Amino acid sequence: MSDPDRPRFAPDWLELRERADASARAPELLRPLRARLAARPAPDGGPRGLVIRDLGCGTGSMGRWLAVRLPGPQHWILHDHDPLLLSHAGARMPVTAADGTPVRATTARGDLADLGADDLAGTSLVTASALLDLLTREEVEELAEACVAAGCPALLALSVAGRVELSPSDPLDTALAEAFNDHQRRTDQGGRALLGPDAIAVAVEAFERRGATVLVRSSPWRLGSVESSLISEWLRGWVGAAHAQRPELAPEAVAYLRRRLEECAAGELNVEVHHTDLLALPRPLSGSV
């Protein structure tokens, strides 16, 4: 898998969605995660610092959300194939953890498919946000294999669930949602068959088959008039992807988008975009907790 095959996201879009992402993530998964991380033995009697790898980190929103919710010194390794996004992420990480201990970050440009169990040795946690649905079945299997073989927990947030609710409703909502979901499952230009909304089920099965305990929680965007800028940009992308998947929708889709943008501008449109968060807890390796 090479870098050109990966989608590239504009920093402006990632910035626009950050507040909605932060509100949506499932905080109830943090309690079992903190318990697992606290139970790790200190390495060779030294300090029990955390090494956290953020895969497909984008502008670093996951790190900004999570670092301040975990106690203890942390070293974040931010992975992405896009150097522009890495520069944003590295410059804006928190400097202190939940208990005031230091947080530092380094960046690593490259493809997450290159990470195996050996690369995760010494890693306390693998995390990612809005990533699973962009992977193939094989890539999810490889990620699960690497995490379980390394005894490394994985917190994978905000995977698309394939359900969208708009209020007021429109007769074209269902057709566009189905076309969008098919687009998310497309085979990309690199020949990769993306999982889209099937990613969570595939990931749960992949981790559980390898003996991990897996917890899933809903993490929906709930957007109203306060988020009108985000709704309008999301609408353009959602309708555009549906139209790309089913070109025969063109005349109706254009009129639909115009109507919905007018409703959004008037503060009359509410949108719920469903996501799912997943926490996988592999069995600890021999000699660890």
Side-chain angles (χ1 to χ4, degrees):
M1 183 186 346
S2 61
D3 284 352
D5 297 338
R6 287 295 191 189
R8 297 186 179 273
F9 297 99
D12 289 349
W13 164 247
L14 298 178
E15 296 284 351
L16 185 60
R17 64 176 286 173
E18 181 164 351
R19 187 170 69 173
D21 286 350
S23 297
R25 291 188 182 100
E28 58 267 35
L29 292 178
L30 296 183
R31 183 174 180 178
L33 174 61
R34 290 190 196 102
R36 174 63 178 270
L37 295 177
R40 294 166 50 254
D44 300 323
R48 188 185 285 136
L50 300 177
V51 177
I52 302 172
R53 294 183 182 271
D54 186 358
L55 307 184
C57 68
T59 58
S61 66
M62 187 65 172
R64 288 189 289 277
W65 182 83
L66 185 57
V68 297
R69 288 169 169 81
L70 295 178
Q74 301 168 32
H75 174 202
W76 282 72
I77 305 171
L78 308 173
H79 293 264
D80 207 286
H81 60 91
D82 189 326
L84 175 62
L85 296 180
L86 281 176
S87 68
H88 281 266
R92 297 177 55 203
M93 279 292 292
V95 296
T96 55
D99 57 356
T101 51
V103 173
R104 67 185 181 96
T106 55
T107 61
R109 187 183 179 194
D111 201 305
L112 66 90
D114 297 330
L115 293 176
D118 290 344
D119 301 293
L120 297 185
T123 299
S124 313
L125 173 67
V126 164
T127 191
S129 186
L131 176 71
L132 272 184
D133 43 89
L134 300 174
L135 302 182
T136 67
R137 180 178 294 272
E138 293 75 16
E139 289 163 353
V140 170
E141 291 282 352
E142 290 167 2
L143 177 60
E145 178 63 29
C147 290
V148 171
C152 180
L155 178 62
L156 307 171
L158 295 173
S159 297
V160 296
R163 292 189 297 123
V164 174
E165 299 169 30
L166 298 97
S167 178
S169 62
D170 185 284
L172 203 57
D173 288 348
T174 299
L176 288 171
E178 291 173 352
F180 176 82
N181 288 340
D182 288 343
H183 184 266
Q184 295 297 96
R185 298 182 178 105
R186 71 193 181 279
T187 298
D188 70 7
Q189 293 181 349
R192 299 168 56 249
L194 308 183
L195 285 170
D198 302 324
I200 282 290
V202 170
V204 168
E205 196 276 334
F207 277 101
E208 289 185 338
R209 182 164 21 91
R210 291 169 170 85
T213 298
V214 181
L215 305 173
V216 295
R217 296 293 185 272
S218 177
S219 53
W221 278 357
R222 293 187 175 97
L223 310 178
S225 58
V226 174
E227 297 86 12
S228 60
S229 295
L230 176 57
I231 291 176
S232 64
E233 287 304 307
W234 172 83
L235 269 171
R236 291 183 175 94
W238 188 66
V239 175
H243 175 210
Q245 184 68 26
R246 290 181 55 188
E248 68 273 17
L249 290 172
E252 292 177 286
V254 169
Y256 174 94
L257 181 59
R258 183 173 59 251
R259 291 195 304 273
R260 288 307 204 181
L261 290 175
E262 290 172 354
E263 292 170 346
C264 180
E268 298 170 351
L269 182 62
N270 296 294
V271 178
E272 188 162 340
V273 182
H274 290 268
H275 306 99
T276 304
D277 288 6
L278 178 153
L279 174 64
L281 300 171
R283 295 170 181 165
L285 299 181
S286 176
S288 65
V289 176

